[in-house]
Amino acid sequence: MAETPKTLTVELGERSYPIVIGEGLLANAAEYLRLAGVPDKSPLLIVTDDNAGPLYLAKLTEALTAGGYRALSAVVPHGEPSKSLDVYNDLITRAIEEGLDRSSAILALGGGVIGDLAGFVAGTYMRGIRFVQVPTTILAHDSSVGGKVAVNHPLAKNMIGVFHQPELVLYDVETLKSLPPREVRAGLAEMVKHGLIWDKAFAEWCRANAGRLLALDSEALAYGLEQGCAIKARIVSRDERENDLRAILNLGHTLGHAIEAVAGYGRFLHGEAISIGMAAAALIGEERGAAGLHAETVSMLEALELPVTLPADIGTEALMDAMQRDKKFREGRMIFIVPLAVGRVEIASDVDADTVRSVIERLKRSGEPS
Amino acid sequence: MAETPKTLTVELGERSYPIVIGEGLLANAAEYLRLAGVPDKSPLLIVTDDNAGPLYLAKLTEALTAGGYRALSAVVPHGEPSKSLDVYNDLITRAIEEGLDRSSAILALGGGVIGDLAGFVAGTYMRGIRFVQVPTTILAHDSSVGGKVAVNHPLAKNMIGVFHQPELVLYDVETLKSLPPREVRAGLAEMVKHGLIWDKAFAEWCRANAGRLLALDSEALAYGLEQGCAIKARIVSRDERENDLRAILNLGHTLGHAIEAVAGYGRFLHGEAISIGMAAAALIGEERGAAGLHAETVSMLEALELPVTLPADIGTEALMDAMQRDKKFREGRMIFIVPLAVGRVEIASDVDADTVRSVIERLKRSGEPS
Ligand SMILES: NC(=O)c1ccc[n+]([C@@H]2O[C@H](COP(=O)([O-])OP(=O)(O)OC[C@H]3O[C@@H](n4cnc5c(N)ncnc54)[C@H](O)[C@@H]3O)[C@@H](O)[C@H]2O)c1
Ligand SMILES: NC(=O)c1ccc[n+]([C@@H]2O[C@H](COP(=O)([O-])OP(=O)(O)OC[C@H]3O[C@@H](n4cnc5c(N)ncnc54)[C@H](O)[C@@H]3O)[C@@H](O)[C@H]2O)c1
Ligand SMILES: [Zn+2]
Ligand SMILES: [Zn+2]
């Protein structure tokens, strides 16, 4: 029998919202929307992709219709290329044609790509309408919380976006059962990241329970997702717009985003790229005095079957260039999140380019067959 | 000799900002930016059009450069068609290529088109960077205050946007001297609107001083712009995101936007279209009991040489359809701002379609030669 759903709250004053995590929640979507104050007089638009859509769209639509909502849907191709201004424009056109108004809501049914894309539509259609996240990937326990929404620019990832908090995150963990194993692993990278930046015990729990997590054991998964969401929610509550603290969520992302871009979007999944980025950050931390940090971090990432080295064909200077275009660059300085120990990081703007270069080279050498 | 500049404040807590109105302010732009907290380590991007640019861009750039800022610029074609996702995308690309970062600011040097377009870039580049309005039209006393920024969708105006408050509105009224007379008149429509919704005495002042305003008399203009900005600022302070009160600023806009769209953007200037819309709203007000309201309103609009009738070739049903797509439609009902008297309006959702139709027909008949 399914456990009772767990509810966490992202505390943001009048923009606070619940994250509901549990099995079989799609069937009760209408109730949860009503509780979250989504009106039923105006049409809803469900945005999904061609993987999640065929699996879960009918179920969600039926539940909403039975509950008195009028739910339209738009299915976009899966994958990072859909996070583009072109697909965004198509969705806006669709929303206008279907008569969505200021009382309408956009629902994102899918992973982080769908959440980011649909969220940017919701954040800008008529200067912002209601938004509901219905995540269906493990990674999306991270991306669906906190209100960062964006599309990519060909020159840089997530460059075009806004902060737009959802009214509700409805996380039906039953949907995770259809995830390909590689997507499972990539999602767990963001889960262990939450431990690495904030909670050593949780990072160690992820390592100890790696086998259960990889096998999608319901109990382990529910606990891990809850902890991950809870850490993210706490950080976002303290610094919604990333003026300071929230930046720690970017552990592994300065290099990670560069790897995604330089390798060509798709070769590395986001979670894989940031796993390598977290291994790099650990090396930087070690150079700044945290003995043994790299080995400890790598043991956690490898337990989750995540990559921790860089293929030799990824150009070091291309990575350096890409990092300079990233949002983590400010007033001419690169911003790195550097671990001090497992569970504790600092926001450093004094990591020089040569240190980064030499760390990249070390990650490449350690990837060579010995 | 130039008068001392006047400063008003838009009170929005931590998002409060000054509106500085005066002659020759462009020359001191660097000082004002510094006062407003715009850092000089990161590049600025001035967005302007091919009318305002040739006249004022060199002056602004020199002043900023002399004051220690690095100011880049982008010149777009003038007119409403530049408020498009395509031009927006070009500006985002330019911002990335020039290395604008989170500490950069976007400056809008021009009228409402440039303010709305550049503001949407600032509001979404890297999820929002600093924004400064440098208005150069009379109409922009309205558009530069309040943080509504947007681009158009081919199907509907201002459909894609966000709320993004500027750090500063720097209003150099000397720039208004080069405005074509038709743009002067159109801008005065929004000025008298502020009287019609909020301040009977100000509306009467506009009528009494119409000749001086049309002749760009410095003193009259300064007073009128200050009052207009002050009324707008007060309304925005009470309701930043248009949950209720702010909607009154849309007097004349439900029909006005429809006229712009149906006639084809450009045939009517925005100010002309809303002048006709305000005449229509007065007729609706009269039907609901405000005797003499139409004649009184029309006398104010005609003093400013603004149109108050509709050409017969603009289709009534096309206008009705366009109004249904407008943002002022909600949960199936059309929202009209209806005047109760000069200086006082209500937000009505009970104006039925037939009343609107008959008012449109009356405006057409009164436009026929008798
Ligand atoms: N907004 C944020 O705060 C934030 C945080 C982290 C990551 N992100 C973004 O999230 C994106 C990555 O998210 P993601 O990994 O979820 O990517 P994704 O949305 O592309 O999903 C991964 C793959 O799984 C498929 N899929 C989704 N649900 C499925 C299911 N239940 N069963 C079978 N297949 C399913 C998708 O079609 C896709 O092919 C990136 O674009 C990243 O930038 C955003
Ligand atoms: N954001 C808001 O709150 C708000 C409010 C009202 C209107 N608007 C928008 O503002 C726009 C209309 O603004 P506008 O009337 O300023 O239009 P505009 O920016 O197109 O300017 C009007 C014309 O004057 C030219 N121009 C500008 N400054 C000049 C100068 N100093 N000398 C000579 N020519 C000059 C421009 O090139 C243009 O041809 C519309 O798109 C409307 O939707 C926005
Ligand atoms: Zn991430
Ligand atoms: Zn207007």
Side-chain angles (χ1 to χ4, degrees):
Chain A
M1 227 197 69
E3 305 243 342
T4 325
K6 292 265 171 23
T7 300
L8 309 168
T9 305
V10 185
E11 303 284 0
L12 287 168
E14 57 177 20
R15 286 187 301 289
S16 296
Y17 54 93
I19 307 171
V20 189
I21 307 176
E23 295 189 342
L25 299 182
L26 288 184
N28 306 314
E31 273 168 56
Y32 286 107
L33 258 68
R34 224 170 275 283
L35 272 174
V38 177
D40 62 13
K41 291 235 175 51
S42 299
L44 310 176
L45 180 63
I46 305 170
V47 178
T48 189
D49 71 21
D50 54 10
N51 283 329
L55 294 166
Y56 307 110
L57 181 57
K59 194 171 199 171
L60 179 57
T61 306
E62 273 160 36
L64 291 171
T65 308
Y69 286 93
R70 189 153 73 86
L72 311 161
S73 58
V75 182
V76 306
H78 68 275
E80 196 69 28
S82 281
K83 266 177 66 175
S84 70
L85 265 191
D86 281 345
V87 177
Y88 162 81
N89 191 18
D90 290 345
L91 291 172
I92 293 274
T93 304
R94 186 70 200 289
I96 299 174
E97 286 171 350
E98 297 289 3
L100 266 73
D101 66 24
R102 282 192 172 142
S103 299
S104 290
I106 306 269
L107 277 65
L109 174 69
V113 163
I114 293 302
D116 284 10
L117 169 68
F120 188 52
V121 173
T124 55
Y125 182 71
M126 295 185 166
R127 297 199 186 86
I129 62 171
R130 288 183 182 81
F131 176 44
V132 174
Q133 290 267 19
V134 188
T136 66
T137 66
I138 292 177
L139 188 134
H141 86 278
D142 181 2
S143 59
S144 67
V145 174
K148 276 194 180 181
V149 295
V151 297
N152 301 322
H153 186 280
L155 292 175
K157 205 175 138 90
N158 293 341
M159 207 43 132
I160 302 174
V162 291
F163 288 91
H164 189 63
Q165 300 293 344
E167 308 293 312
L168 163 72
V169 180
L170 189 67
Y171 205 164
D172 185 344
V173 295
E174 231 169 61
T175 63
L176 303 177
K177 295 194 176 133
S178 53
L179 270 183
R182 189 176 165 196
E183 299 291 350
V184 171
R185 294 192 292 268
L188 294 172
E190 301 272 20
M191 185 186 288
V192 72
K193 179 194 80 179
H194 289 122
L196 290 170
I197 60 175
W198 193 262
D199 184 340
K200 180 170 183 174
F202 179 53
E204 286 171 344
W205 177 90
C206 289
R207 178 170 52 195
N209 292 273
R212 293 171 69 203
L213 289 168
L214 289 165
L216 297 173
D217 170 271
S218 298
E219 204 190 327
L221 208 53
Y223 177 81
L225 293 173
E226 249 174 78
Q227 292 302 307
C229 287
I231 292 170
K232 173 113 189 217
R234 217 167 308 143
I235 293 169
V236 167
S237 295
R238 295 203 198 164
D239 174 25
E240 183 179 6
R241 298 184 73 104
E242 195 166 317
N243 294 315
D244 36 58
L245 178 69
R246 186 171 177 163
I248 69 174
L249 291 165
N250 295 326
L251 176 68
H253 282 63
T254 305
L255 181 57
H257 281 171
I259 293 170
E260 284 182 84
V262 171
Y265 292 112
R267 174 162 164 204
F268 288 93
L269 296 179
H270 177 70
E272 292 165 348
I274 68 147
S275 175
I276 301 169
M278 292 191 285
L283 276 179
I284 294 173
E286 213 168 275
E287 293 220 347
R288 291 158 73 99
L293 186 61
H294 181 246
E296 197 177 355
T297 305
V298 161
S299 78
M300 291 167 166
L301 297 169
E302 288 191 324
L304 297 166
E305 300 179 9
L306 286 161
V308 294
T309 63
L310 257 178
D313 69 301
I314 312 264
T316 301
E317 289 315 308
L319 290 172
M320 297 298 294
D321 285 350
M323 279 188 274
Q324 309 239 335
R325 274 198 301 272
D326 201 62
K327 290 191 299 306
K328 258 100 24 217
F329 208 75
R330 195 169 193 146
E331 295 185 14
R333 304 199 66 86
M334 216 181 297
I335 309 292
F336 259 94
I337 311 305
V338 180
L340 301 165
V342 168
R344 215 149 52 79
V345 296
E346 62 169 333
I347 304 171
S349 60
D350 62 346
V351 177
D352 59 54
D354 283 343
T355 305
V356 180
R357 257 189 208 96
S358 86
V359 160
I360 291 175
E361 292 298 330
R362 278 176 64 189
L363 285 181
K364 286 188 186 174
R365 280 198 303 280
S366 52
E368 285 165 13
S370 52
Chain B
M1 224 197 72
E3 304 243 344
T4 325
K6 294 264 171 21
T7 300
L8 308 168
T9 304
V10 185
E11 303 284 0
L12 286 168
E14 56 177 22
R15 286 187 302 288
S16 297
Y17 54 93
I19 307 171
V20 189
I21 307 177
E23 296 189 341
L25 299 181
L26 288 185
N28 306 315
E31 272 169 55
Y32 287 107
L33 259 68
R34 224 170 274 284
L35 273 174
V38 177
D40 62 12
K41 292 235 173 50
S42 299
L44 310 177
L45 180 63
I46 305 170
V47 178
T48 188
D49 71 21
D50 53 12
N51 284 330
L55 294 167
Y56 307 110
L57 181 57
K59 194 171 199 172
L60 179 58
T61 306
E62 273 159 35
L64 291 169
T65 309
Y69 286 93
R70 190 152 74 82
L72 311 161
S73 58
V75 182
V76 306
H78 69 275
E80 195 70 27
S82 280
K83 266 176 67 175
S84 70
L85 264 190
D86 281 346
V87 177
Y88 163 82
N89 191 18
D90 290 346
L91 291 172
I92 293 274
T93 304
R94 185 73 199 289
I96 299 174
E97 285 170 352
E98 296 289 2
L100 264 73
D101 67 26
R102 282 192 172 141
S103 299
S104 291
I106 306 270
L107 277 64
L109 174 67
V113 163
I114 293 301
D116 284 10
L117 169 69
F120 188 53
V121 173
T124 55
Y125 183 71
M126 295 185 166
R127 297 199 186 84
I129 63 171
R130 288 183 182 82
F131 176 42
V132 174
Q133 291 268 20
V134 189
T136 67
T137 65
I138 292 177
L139 188 134
H141 87 278
D142 180 2
S143 60
S144 67
V145 174
K148 275 194 178 180
V149 295
V151 296
N152 301 323
H153 185 279
L155 293 176
K157 205 174 138 93
N158 293 341
M159 208 44 133
I160 302 174
V162 292
F163 289 90
H164 190 61
Q165 301 293 343
E167 307 293 313
L168 163 70
V169 180
L170 191 67
Y171 204 166
D172 186 342
V173 293
E174 233 169 60
T175 61
L176 303 177
K177 298 196 175 131
S178 52
L179 270 184
R182 188 176 167 197
E183 298 292 349
V184 170
R185 294 192 292 268
L188 294 173
E190 300 271 20
M191 185 187 286
V192 71
K193 178 194 79 180
H194 289 123
L196 290 170
I197 60 175
W198 194 261
D199 184 340
K200 180 172 182 173
F202 180 53
E204 286 172 346
W205 177 91
C206 289
R207 178 171 49 194
N209 291 273
R212 295 169 69 202
L213 288 168
L214 289 166
L216 296 174
D217 170 89
S218 298
E219 206 190 324
L221 208 53
Y223 178 79
L225 294 173
E226 249 174 79
Q227 292 303 307
C229 287
I231 292 170
K232 172 111 189 219
R234 217 166 309 142
I235 293 169
V236 167
S237 296
R238 295 204 199 162
D239 175 26
E240 182 179 6
R241 298 183 75 104
E242 195 168 314
N243 294 315
D244 36 58
L245 180 69
R246 186 171 176 163
I248 70 173
L249 290 164
N250 294 326
L251 176 69
H253 282 64
T254 305
L255 180 57
H257 281 172
I259 294 171
E260 284 183 83
V262 172
Y265 291 112
R267 174 163 164 202
F268 289 93
L269 296 180
H270 177 69
E272 293 166 348
I274 66 148
S275 175
I276 302 170
M278 291 190 287
L283 276 179
I284 295 174
E286 214 167 273
E287 295 221 345
R288 290 158 73 99
L293 186 61
H294 180 247
E296 197 178 355
T297 305
V298 161
S299 78
M300 292 168 165
L301 297 169
E302 287 191 327
L304 297 167
E305 301 178 8
L306 286 161
V308 293
T309 62
L310 257 180
D313 69 301
I314 313 261
T316 302
E317 290 314 309
L319 290 172
M320 297 299 294
D321 284 351
M323 280 188 273
Q324 310 240 337
R325 273 199 301 271
D326 201 62
K327 291 192 296 308
K328 268 140 310 267
F329 208 76
R330 197 170 193 145
E331 295 185 13
R333 304 199 65 85
M334 216 181 297
I335 309 293
F336 260 92
I337 311 305
V338 180
L340 300 165
V342 168
R344 216 149 50 81
V345 295
E346 62 169 334
I347 304 172
S349 60
D350 60 348
V351 178
D352 59 54
D354 283 342
T355 305
V356 179
R357 256 189 210 95
S358 86
V359 160
I360 291 175
E361 292 299 331
R362 278 176 64 189
L363 284 181
K364 284 189 186 174
R365 279 198 304 278
S366 53
E368 283 166 14
S370 52

